[in-house]
Amino acid sequence: MAEVPAQDRLAALDMKVEYCERAIRAGEAARREATPAEPPTAPGLRDWIARVGMLRHTMIIEEGWTPLNHKNMALVVNPEQTIAIGVLAGDAGTGWPAPIKPKSRYPKGQAFANAVAGGDLTLFSNEDAGHPEVLEPETIEALDLWLLLTYRLRQGDTVTVFSELSRPESVSASGYIVDWLDRVILPRQTFEAVVVDDGRDDDGSIDVLVEEI
């Protein structure tokens, strides 16, 4: 059976490959704004902020989605409130088809899962962010979380970004996301290497809607 193209798979989520590519390009551009006077983690942090901002802006404008904020999580939710998408740094397994599989580059906490159990996530409306709309616990529990997972590989004067949009399944005892319910491998993107860049990524310490194993 022929593999379904990434664009067709993303269409079922009201997503497009170009939306993910746009977010990654924004992150790479933001890295170039870092200066030697900033902390060593500045390029990665700027990248994460720009990726989150562009992904959410694109989904809001193009598809009518809504930003979802809770503690360190920066997600965007579809109008039907069934899907949430965030961004995350992955390891060298990112962007490769099975049997290779990625894991989160850094260990993740369980604040998101705890918030779901307590039903205290808040959805901020586009019209007025000062008047939050509280989601019902059952709505939170029903959200399918997808992550734009990225891994940067620098080779000489170029950087290749491997990426995928994937749905996490489980977190290891040490806090890493290690299993995935579904993965959509995205096209690789190549950029000119950044001079002020120690190669580290940042993922905003996002927590995920999964249970520890």
Side-chain angles (χ1 to χ4, degrees):
M1 181 181 296
E3 184 176 351
V4 179
Q7 189 76 304
D8 293 342
R9 297 195 62 197
L10 293 185
L13 303 175
D14 290 328
M15 274 286 292
K16 295 180 180 180
V17 170
E18 65 186 76
Y19 297 166
C20 299
E21 293 178 336
R22 195 180 302 176
I24 292 170
R25 283 198 302 271
E28 285 297 315
R31 283 180 177 267
R32 285 151 178 77
E33 299 175 1
T35 70
E38 295 179 336
T41 56
L45 183 57
R46 284 176 176 269
D47 187 342
W48 175 78
I49 292 173
R51 269 183 292 152
V52 170
M54 180 57 72
L55 180 66
R56 301 214 293 187
H57 174 77
T58 299
M59 298 307 294
I60 290 167
I61 298 301
E62 301 289 350
E63 304 293 344
W65 290 39
T66 308
L68 174 66
N69 300 299
H70 179 73
K71 297 185 178 179
N72 288 330
M73 293 176 294
L75 311 175
V76 63
V77 177
N78 66 344
E80 296 77 20
Q81 297 182 350
T82 56
I83 297 171
I85 296 178
V87 302
L88 190 74
D91 70 356
T94 301
W96 292 90
I100 299 174
K101 65 178 180 179
K103 68 177 182 179
S104 57
R105 184 165 183 179
Y106 306 108
K108 302 291 99 189
Q110 290 297 299
F112 196 99
N114 294 339
V116 170
D120 64 347
L121 284 177
T122 301
L123 181 65
F124 294 89
S125 67
N126 290 331
E127 293 76 18
D128 190 348
H131 294 81
E133 174 188 352
V134 178
L135 291 178
E136 297 295 332
E138 55 269 24
T139 301
I140 295 294
E141 293 174 2
L143 281 175
D144 289 337
L145 178 68
W146 291 77
L147 298 172
L148 174 55
L149 199 65
T150 58
Y151 175 76
R152 303 175 73 253
L153 178 64
R154 180 167 180 166
Q155 296 175 304
D157 295 332
T158 63
V159 168
T160 300
V161 178
F162 298 79
S163 64
E164 59 186 78
L165 189 70
S166 298
R167 186 180 172 197
E169 179 178 24
S170 60
V171 174
S172 69
S174 56
Y176 291 87
I177 303 172
V178 294
D179 287 310
W180 307 84
L181 290 168
D182 200 359
R183 299 172 60 206
V184 181
I185 308 300
L186 302 174
R188 299 167 187 174
Q189 294 173 262
T190 301
F191 304 89
E192 181 181 356
V194 184
V195 176
V196 183
D197 191 350
D198 67 355
R200 285 184 285 183
D201 290 329
D202 198 300
D203 60 13
S205 297
I206 185 176
D207 293 321
V208 298
L209 180 58
V210 290
E211 295 182 357
E212 185 172 350
I213 58 173

